[in-house]
Amino acid sequence: MAKARGAIVVDIEKCKGCEVCVVNCPTNVIRLTREVNGKGYHYAYMEVPEACIGCANCAVVCPDGVITVYQVKE
Amino acid sequence: MAKARGAIVVDIEKCKGCEVCVVNCPTNVIRLTREVNGKGYHYAYMEVPEACIGCANCAVVCPDGVITVYQVKE
Amino acid sequence: MNLKDIIKPENLVYSKTPLLTDNVMSYCPGCSHGTAHRIIMEVIEEMGIQSETIGVAPVGCSVLAYDFMNIDMAQAAHGRAPAVATGIKRCWPEKYVFTYQGDGDLAAIGTAETIHACNRGENIMIVFINNGIYGMTGGQMAPTTLPGMKSSTSPFGRDVATMGNPIKMTDLVAQLPGTYYVTRQAVHKPVNVRRTKKAIRIALENQKLNKGLSFIEIVSSCNSGWKMTPVQANIWMEENMIPFYPLGDLKVDGELVKK
Amino acid sequence: MNLKDIIKPENLVYSKTPLLTDNVMSYCPGCSHGTAHRIIMEVIEEMGIQSETIGVAPVGCSVLAYDFMNIDMAQAAHGRAPAVATGIKRCWPEKYVFTYQGDGDLAAIGTAETIHACNRGENIMIVFINNGIYGMTGGQMAPTTLPGMKSSTSPFGRDVATMGNPIKMTDLVAQLPGTYYVTRQAVHKPVNVRRTKKAIRIALENQKLNKGLSFIEIVSSCNSGWKMTPVQANIWMEENMIPFYPLGDLKVDGELVKK
Amino acid sequence: MRELRLMKGNEAIAEAAIRAGADAYFGYPITPQSEVLEYLMAEQPMERTGMVVLQAESEIAAINMVYGAAATGKRVLTSSSSPGISLKQEGISYIAGAELPCLIVNVVRGGPGLGTIQPSQADYFQSTKGGGHGDYRLLVLAPASVQEMSDFVKLGFELAFKYRNPVLILSDGVIGQMMEKVELFEQQPRVTTFDPAWTVTGKPKERERNIATSLDLDPYRQEKHNYKLQAKYKAMEENEVRFEEFDCKDAEYLIVAYGSSARISQKAVQLARAKGIKAGLFRPITLFPFPKQEISALASQVKGILSVEMSAGQMIEDIQLAAAGKVNVQHFGRYGGVIPAPDEVLEALELLISGGSK
Amino acid sequence: MRELRLMKGNEAIAEAAIRAGADAYFGYPITPQSEVLEYLMAEQPMERTGMVVLQAESEIAAINMVYGAAATGKRVLTSSSSPGISLKQEGISYIAGAELPCLIVNVVRGGPGLGTIQPSQADYFQSTKGGGHGDYRLLVLAPASVQEMSDFVKLGFELAFKYRNPVLILSDGVIGQMMEKVELFEQQPRVTTFDPAWTVTGKPKERERNIATSLDLDPYRQEKHNYKLQAKYKAMEENEVRFEEFDCKDAEYLIVAYGSSARISQKAVQLARAKGIKAGLFRPITLFPFPKQEISALASQVKGILSVEMSAGQMIEDIQLAAAGKVNVQHFGRYGGVIPAPDEVLEALELLISGGSK
Amino acid sequence: MTEEIIIAGFGGQGVLSMGKILAYSGIMQDMEVSWMPSYGPEMRGGTANVTVIISDERVSSPILNQFDSAIILNQQSMDKFESKVKPGGVLLYDGNGITRHPERKDIKIFRVDAAEEAARLSTTKTFNMIVLGGFLKIKDVVKMENVIKGIKKSLPERHHHLIKVNEEAIKRGMEIVYPVKN
Amino acid sequence: MTEEIIIAGFGGQGVLSMGKILAYSGIMQDMEVSWMPSYGPEMRGGTANVTVIISDERVSSPILNQFDSAIILNQQSMDKFESKVKPGGVLLYDGNGITRHPERKDIKIFRVDAAEEAARLSTTKTFNMIVLGGFLKIKDVVKMENVIKGIKKSLPERHHHLIKVNEEAIKRGMEIVYPVKN
Ligand SMILES: Cc1ncc(C[n+]2csc(CCOP(=O)(O)OP(=O)(O)O)c2C)c(N)n1
Ligand SMILES: Cc1ncc(C[n+]2csc(CCOP(=O)(O)OP(=O)(O)O)c2C)c(N)n1
Ligand code: SF4
Ligand code: SF4
Ligand code: SF4
Ligand code: SF4
Ligand code: SF4
Ligand code: SF4
Ligand SMILES: [Mg+2]
Ligand SMILES: [Mg+2]
């Protein structure tokens, strides 16, 4: 099975920092920032980008649909 | 089993001549009169009184509750 | 033996309960409502609970039930009897409270009130007269009108594709945890009348013991609405209504009856 | 490999469907409504039926669904979405019509409309967001609130003896002949989101084929109403709501699923 | 070609709905208007014109089905009688708030509560001042004949679409149940085009999505929306006032009555004239907008006004507002289902003239 | 002992209900009045006084539960806000028709339709003229403070039983949501005796059966019943008019306003007086019966009347009817959820004085 | 010409349809008509009555409490409507079931024993047409040809074979009606 | 004496409860009070504000658009309410998150960096009490003892152990508030 590498882009201003993506990432890629966005929310970012496999689980569960996922099969 | 003899009294003015008693008498005691009562209904009467066994079936199904039943066990 | 010898007070075996008033019932000849009224009143008389019973009749042919039932009653808006009964019973938990509702009332406009009173398990008795039609307003299609059955608003017969299926409310409420006793009966024959009366007795005994809601459907005829004679209507009912709405207990002592 | 090398248009595997507008959703962080909205819009996009779809959202947190779903919509009175959808669908049988309703809406005030639209077999899809609470009005008890569960109108926990039992509407409507597909899903985990999305697809495909009503319950969380963090709420939901409202199909192709 | 029929008012409503090209009817039985649904069901309008007719599970479901169909730009109506119309009040307020066109028929019966099934006009306030919540108005047409029951269905749809507002036909058990000669208008085509500016028909690429809603949580935007509604009602007041006069030219005493009361009062005016009393009848056809100016003018001319209603006195307030103290306005009514006879009206008029009151 | 609390209007309603010895509350959540039910649930009134509190499945169920409980002579209330009150109209008409005493609270929000959840006074017509069908009236109390939210619950029950008629407390989002100091009245005992003449409590041997009904199919009997109702409403008009005056003695210009508008207008009167304008405020406390005579008298005294309402102008009709053309009556309102500020009211008053109008 | 008629009897006697045929006949004769029934909870026996007005002019009130003619078919209706006939007017009644015969001196009284006749002819369904015939004999408000047209219009197509029978019944009614001296 | 105050900020900053404590303190001081919140669909972040009036006399309008004092806790509120302070009135604000500072010359402007202070003390929950302290320093509408009584009344019994912390926060606010020259 080809290994895949992935990356996500979070729409920072729309992220509400709910952490649902964080707990649903199979490879523990995501964390919330310490800083807050314009709405006062700590937003999601890739803390361990290299672990991302582009499975889109995070995007699929994100209630606000603010995650875009990219994937490259290696 | 003791044989029973029965009799019914129909409240003529309240009888609506629906015939429900007629078809539910096990011994075919009841018929409707040719004459009508004050409301214009042919009312029920004992056509074959000697056949009545006082089972009260007629009274039990009479929608207007106008039948009174008497019974003597012979 | 002479009739005179039989017709004597000491030989009386059946007479109208005094809990029915002397008013001539406003129902059409042969209408099931009369029989249903009578047996409810008989049970209340037998249990000696006239002074502790409150009835609720909403709109429908039986809207004037209070003219015939010699008990305190509240007339309810169309479909709302279960809510009215809830209001009464919650304030008077020690009284016997029942509703007496038609199929248009209970299964159309009153669906939400029926389902929720059953679901809450209000400790009341619901008597549900299912005659497959809106009797009072002139024979329109009811939620329980059979497929193909004619009525003034289904003059070519109920077309289930556009008008929907007849609804079996009794089966539905049996599914709800709040109902304790659910049964379907009829009153067109003596044996059925006696069974239905027994069901009413069970329901009121349950109520005394605070068991929750008892729901008694009575499959009935509406000869006027069906445009038949009373006797024809009862036969038609037996041949058509009862196969669709089979008689018997659906839930006893809070347990669904296995089929 | 560098992130820049991955984040390229040709490597895109998931992005928000354009059928969701760019408005920030008014829901609380982590609310299930957002996910449910998105997958409905994804299916509509995938089926290419945006111009043939009409949505109906009644009162509830999702009353503003029309701000987020980029389709024609009608906002309905509390509980009446199935009636509004019936009005639309009957006039436009060739369009796709769906309702999107909360548990307070669908299972309390809207009980009659829900039951009867299902019973008539209106050829629509009902999406039922069951979060066990009245989210919009501030966390009051819903008909689906679990026994013992706290809410602003059951501050000491739902007492079934006085407040009634939680009602399983999905089980009820599955009993009705008018429903063709009835399922209960969730959206708290990727696998559930994918299953729910598939269910929505099936429902809309059924609608195309005129099969009757499809009913999709989504067991959801309302972290605000439950007074938990979103993640806690999802865990609580899994541990408490789902055992009571077990996931899976209840009726497929018009046949009840045997358990 | 003139097509003459003897029809009940209720049947005329139903036949006129089909002919006016209505797309849908949603209703629930209630006396004295069940013939509307019954007639429709018997006529098989789906076969005749493709019109949808559905017996709803309740009046509330019916009015919300109307809301749905109306939101899509279809021509839709419902009918009921007093208790059923009360149940529709929330829905009517929504329809008015969302500015959807539709037709609602109330064949009024005696109240309050379950009351009686006999005719009444005691729903005037509910109809004209808004029985539902919020500042909205229905355009209210009051037919006084079976002919008008038919004509006002067509007119009602036109006005409903002109203003994007619900139109109420306020009838009663007399007009609903009586039969008269009706000249039926010809079959109109059903609508086939839907205003892309607001109809909820599915969003094509070319336009923004359409939304039918009465909600705006922002009070300032909501207020703006309300201003727009008020402007519309004002326009109705300017353009849509309809009325009829009998013998008003030289009248010294005026009866104001609508619907079946107007018919009865017309006879009373004939009886009065026969006795030498210079009586006239003013019949408002639109109850909202109310013919305020016309009555105000007549109030300057006459010595007294008698408001005849089958109610305890509701329209009298609008007459008094129009008369603004210029002349004595007195009420005569039978109600709770009782219909006044022409000679009773005459008596009441004579009482007014003699300066007495009940 | 004075018991002072800082409470929301909605909470005051709830606490007062318990203290007034209410037997039952049936309601359904809706903003801005959900605190009534929430407060009750938190207070466990079953433990405190034996009072029943039940969250119904809908407003319609709630009002019919009220009907049931009221029929038995119990002291029962419900509360809701505009759309929910519209849904209750059939039930209210039944309660009025059956002459049952009860208390209904409407914490009005902006309409029509779903509108907004912000405060409004646009349900005046519905409340005072009968949003339901038939000739009936509610006795309508309009509190202008949290204190009155509490006091009028007690008063409302008294009046409801005095007249065997539903009493409506017409409040709004301002009064419901604001907190003020309240002096709570002492706990009243719950009712323990039930009038054998009409309460449906189970028929003992000694009396005829009692029936709660609004039905009488015979129109003549129904009319008689209606006459009885009208006589009752007349008695209310004679005995129950309540109002409050501020600076009316020497007023040249009068503001008429109720509820929260009256509070705002009072400030406007202060501002006006500070500017040398002889303004006064007349606050109707009962909206039905309306203080017609009092306003009529003031209409003879002042040079102009400004009706201030959070609506497009509803009470103004009652003021005009009272003024009967004697003086110019003008409307000022913000609506759809917008609350006017005192200086806007002052501006409108100055406009009236200068002879202008909007 | 304006003729204001009340027809009153039991439900089931064909009161409403007699009125309807009369009204339709009026239309056929190019006149204005109104037909106003009393109505009650349907399907419940009891009394039935209908006010029919036939006029050259637009009909004002369809509701009246004074009539040019009263057609009375049972005792209750007699009690209620005898007094409501205008002086000089006509009262026509079927004697069957009438226990108190009309007593007014200032009106013209006629009797048609239609029930008896219908029973005799074994065509109970034509009862109301016999009565109608009796009425038309006394008051020719509408011409016979228009009555036939009226019947045609009021009967559904599938019942058109009954027109003949009805026509004969009307004629029979015309024969058997007779004035009552009092 | 009448003091008309607006307190405005984000939901969650304790705006409403600060107002409630102020109002309760007024009652403890035997004054008339009113507390009128803006309200929206509940449970949805966004802005929150409350008008508190404390007076010797019965309060007339609980709704105002001119205030003696404005307590402003975020930028949106600054934009909305700066202009609504009466000339000569007071504007108190927390600088955290403020991007456009107040500019009026005809009012007295004060600043209390309560968010910062609360974060420093690791007692974020006392944020609103620090602000309150700042306000009371500038405007002693209610005496400290009555404020304590007010807190006691507005907190449920089970939270009474927090009174001490709150009192200290108020005192801290009094210390760190300062006038802004402009
Ligand atoms: C709100 C409302 N809608 C409609 C009616 C008219 N209505 C009276 S009874 C009835 C239905 C009667 O049918 P059902 O409940 O089956 O009773 P039945 O007469 O058959 O015994 C209807 C529609 C009404 N009174 N109130
Ligand atoms: C007639 C009416 N009653 C009550 C309300 C208030 N209300 C709005 S939404 C709602 C319930 C929301 O709960 P739910 O349907 O479960 O949706 P959620 O917000 O939980 O998604 C209520 C009671 C209303 N808008 N209209
Ligand atoms: S799930 Fe979405 S909204 Fe929530 S934290 Fe992750 S990216 Fe942000
Ligand atoms: S795409 Fe998959 S691996 Fe990457 S962050 Fe999202 S959930 Fe984690
Ligand atoms: S069942 Fe009763 S009403 Fe019917 S015919 Fe027999 S006695 Fe008469
Ligand atoms: S009592 Fe029995 S046997 Fe006698 S008549 Fe009645 S049914 Fe027949
Ligand atoms: S109409 Fe039907 S239900 Fe009503 S009384 Fe007649 S037979 Fe009975
Ligand atoms: S209140 Fe609950 S349902 Fe509503 S948006 Fe917030 S989390 Fe979602
Ligand atoms: Mg029925
Ligand atoms: Mg919910």
Side-chain angles (χ1 to χ4, degrees), chain D residues 33 60-61 101-105 128-136 140 142 144 222:
Chain D
H33 276 303
C61 277
Q101 307 177 249
D103 47 339
D105 189 85
F128 167 32
I129 306 295
N130 177 7
N131 57 13
I133 209 152
Y134 288 22
M136 170 166 233
Q140 292 84 6
T144 54
C222 168

Side-chain angles (χ1 to χ4, degrees), chain A residues 8-13 15 21 30 43-46 66-68:
Chain A
I8 64 170
V9 176
V10 174
D11 186 337
I12 291 171
E13 278 309 312
C15 171
C21 57
I30 318 176
Y43 49 90
Y45 74 102
M46 293 174 85
V66 302
I67 302 181
T68 308

Side-chain angles (χ1 to χ4, degrees), chain A residues 20 24 56-57 59-62, chain D residues 32 35-36 38-40 42-43 181 183-201 216-221 234-235 237-239 242-243 245-249:
Chain A
V20 171
N24 277 297
N57 275 3
V60 160
V61 292
C62 171
Chain D
S32 312
T35 315
R38 180 163 43 79
I39 54 180
I40 296 171
E42 285 176 3
V43 173
Y181 175 50
T183 189
R184 189 185 282 120
Q185 302 294 341
V187 291
H188 62 309
K189 289 191 174 170
V191 52
N192 299 100
V193 177
R194 291 187 174 106
R195 278 194 201 128
T196 308
K197 188 172 163 185
K198 199 173 287 168
I200 292 165
R201 176 84 192 213
I216 302 173
E217 173 175 343
I218 303 179
V219 180
S220 301
S221 66
N234 280 344
I235 294 169
M237 179 180 103
E238 195 155 80
E239 290 176 355
I242 292 180
Y245 301 110
L247 306 187
D249 290 339

Side-chain angles (χ1 to χ4, degrees), chain F residues 16-23 48-51 75 154 157-158 161 185-194:
Chain F
I18 302 172
R19 291 183 181 231
D23 298 296
R48 267 179 68 181
T49 66
M51 176 184 177
R75 243 178 240 162
K154 188 153 162 276
F157 275 124
E158 284 159 14
F161 274 82
F185 57 85
E186 269 175 30
Q187 180 65 48
Q188 310 287 305
R190 288 176 52 227
V191 281
T192 50
T193 54
F194 301 91

